[in-house]
Amino acid sequence: MADRDDVNQLAREHAIEIWMAGLKAVQADTLVQRWVRATQDRLEFGDPTELTLDLGSVRKIVVVGAGKAGSGMVAGLEKVIPEQVARDKQLTGWVNVPKDCVQPTRWIHLHGARPAGCNEPTPEAVYGTEQILELVQDAEPSDLCICLLSGGGSALLPAPIAGITLEDKQAVTRFLSAAGANITELNTVRKQLSRIKGGGLLRYCRAGWLVSLIISDVLGDPLDVIASGPTVPDTSTPEDALETLNKYGGREAGLPQEIFRVLERKMANRGERVGPQCQFFNFVIGNNRTAVDAAAARARELGYQVEAESAREPEGFAEDIGRELAKTALQMVASPDPRCRISGGEPVVRLAPPEIRGLGGRNQQLVLAAAEFLWETMPPEVIILSAGTDGEDGPTDAAGAFVDRAVIEQAKELGFSPSDFLYRNDAYHFFEPLGSLLRTGPTHTNVCDVRIVLTHPCQPPQGAH
């Protein structure tokens, strides 16, 4: 019988290794290089090829975009396009990214549009968005515009419509996030209050072609929701936005009245919207399923029986999902075989009042809920891990957290009460002194969360790598 500490350590190593395999599969530069191929004469998009453009008919290549994966996507694109093509076609561009994701580039400018951990619109992001709109409006019919979009793009592309201020946008974003609205509901409101979201960039673009490469952080990959759909015609309405705000009691909570007045004016004055002026194509080049499948493949290599699924619809509350994973772990551990359950998704968290609120994110909250459920019954052969592929879990420097028997025993020694930390959304300060936060730094990608439940860790089979 292996020593319990050895089993515990092996479980941690395997859980992190499996999770990292999922992360590696969705590295933004790799995805772009897989989906874009260039010669001196043409550009091909797709895996396999779905679109070929003759560069002889292209005057200029303009690249725009926004998202947490923007830096990696730009790096991949600059590697793909030959230097002579970049010079001949006057390759240029502007992409809004978090400030800690800014890296040196050669042709395409990366703009630090918000601080790390601040996933809401800022004045710097407004400035960057105006530069993007100017670039696409100045394009000509013989130009090619490539748009790079990824998760976090909504906050990084603020362009409030007339009558709405940046402060109004911040207020509605904070309110809906704290109330537990899912990403579809949040982006439905954002689109109706923006000039660039909801197909706005597509309407402004004067290039002959607009090709969007998209790394999806929305379950099911709805194009009109990812980054609030700037390059796809919008299917939502002002009525939908008002319905969402009313669902969560926006008026009663004191949201700026101008938000409601603007939406009501849009309802009353809705006219014929100007359609796109260019040919447009949207390609999802990576998503949560990509990461889950890669993690599952690595788990099998390590000798585990694997079950894997990626959610296709918005998920419920993180606490509920954490408890369900805890129940699953108890069912799995009843079998003596090494087993691994991998799931992908993006739950929501209803935030505690600001005066008592601590620090954490949805993944840490989920794992803490699992820890609370297993507080007296945690088997030594089990580990549960959940982390965000963007490396940012809420406003923290951690991607997520893990829990096993040793973590719970240490927490008990410190006198921690998981229910108290859960109630205050303070999972970060629960896990930090226990050494069970998963920190990756900026990952330059974003495809929601990947969760690992692992039981009876085993040495990998001979020949596994």
Side-chain angles (χ1 to χ4, degrees), residues 102-404:
V102 174
Q103 297 180 342
T105 57
R106 184 154 188 199
W107 311 97
I108 303 159
H109 176 69
L110 290 175
H111 174 63
R114 68 156 175 84
C118 172
N119 198 22
E120 63 177 33
T122 65
E124 295 93 339
V126 172
Y127 171 78
T129 303
E130 294 299 335
Q131 304 306 306
I132 289 170
L133 289 173
E134 186 175 322
L135 275 173
V136 299
Q137 288 180 93
D138 288 345
E140 299 181 4
S142 58
D143 294 341
L144 163 65
C145 182
I146 299 175
C147 185
L148 308 175
L149 294 173
S150 58
S154 292
L156 290 162
L157 279 179
I161 61 174
I164 296 296
T165 67
L166 175 62
E167 291 72 24
D168 294 336
K169 293 288 292 288
Q170 291 172 332
V172 76
T173 299
R174 291 168 186 165
F175 168 74
L176 289 173
S177 298
N182 64 44
I183 191 64
T184 300
E185 293 171 322
L186 179 58
N187 286 0
T188 293
V189 176
R190 283 166 156 169
K191 286 188 288 185
Q192 294 300 322
L193 301 176
S194 173
R195 290 181 290 126
I196 195 169
K197 298 175 173 65
L201 190 147
L202 174 60
R203 293 190 297 274
Y204 276 105
C205 185
R206 295 296 175 264
W209 305 270
L210 173 60
V211 179
S212 299
L213 306 176
I214 302 166
I215 296 178
S216 171
D217 72 326
V218 183
L219 304 175
D221 306 334
L223 293 176
D224 61 339
V225 179
I226 303 166
S228 297
T231 63
V232 62
D234 188 17
T235 58
S236 70
T237 65
E239 289 91 339
D240 295 329
L242 279 171
E243 182 179 340
T244 296
L245 291 171
N246 291 333
K247 173 183 175 180
Y248 292 101
R251 291 182 192 272
E252 297 80 359
L255 281 179
Q257 286 304 303
E258 192 59 27
I259 291 173
F260 299 94
R261 284 193 285 267
V262 164
L263 291 174
E264 288 161 356
R265 281 199 299 269
K266 287 186 73 173
M267 288 171 54
N269 301 326
R270 186 168 21 211
E272 196 70 29
R273 296 188 92 175
V274 177
Q277 306 297 301
C278 61
Q279 298 183 60
F280 65 97
F281 308 86
N282 290 283
F283 299 107
V284 175
I285 68 174
N287 58 15
N288 187 254
R289 180 82 251 178
T290 309
V292 167
D293 286 348
R298 184 59 186 138
R300 292 188 184 99
E301 289 178 349
L302 290 171
Y304 291 91
Q305 297 179 13
V306 178
E307 295 180 20
E309 68 174 356
S310 173
R312 299 286 299 172
E313 302 289 340
E315 294 192 298
F317 290 107
E319 297 87 348
D320 295 335
I321 294 172
R323 296 181 189 107
E324 287 302 314
L325 288 182
K327 294 176 186 177
T328 298
L330 292 177
Q331 295 167 357
M332 290 168 56
V333 81
S335 166
D337 299 320
R339 299 180 62 187
C340 182
R341 166 80 172 171
I342 303 169
S343 61
E346 186 175 85
V348 295
V349 175
R350 185 183 291 117
L351 296 181
E355 59 270 18
I356 66 168
R357 188 184 308 160
L359 186 64
R362 61 178 181 263
N363 289 281
Q364 296 162 60
Q365 188 85 348
L366 182 155
V367 176
L368 184 53
E372 180 191 42
F373 187 89
L374 297 171
W375 195 245
E376 301 298 339
T377 59
M378 183 70 163
E381 307 88 2
V382 169
I383 185 168
I384 299 174
L385 180 152
S386 183
T389 53
D390 58 359
E392 287 185 339
D393 190 32
T396 76
D397 62 355
F402 63 84
V403 66
D404 55 21

Side-chain angles (χ1 to χ4, degrees), residues 431-458:
F431 288 116
E432 184 182 36
L434 307 177
S436 58
L437 291 171
L438 181 62
R439 290 184 172 98
T440 63
T443 63
H444 307 296
T445 192
N446 187 13
V447 295
C448 302
D449 308 331
V450 175
R451 308 177 289 246
I452 312 291
V453 180
L454 186 148
T455 63
H456 297 293
C458 63

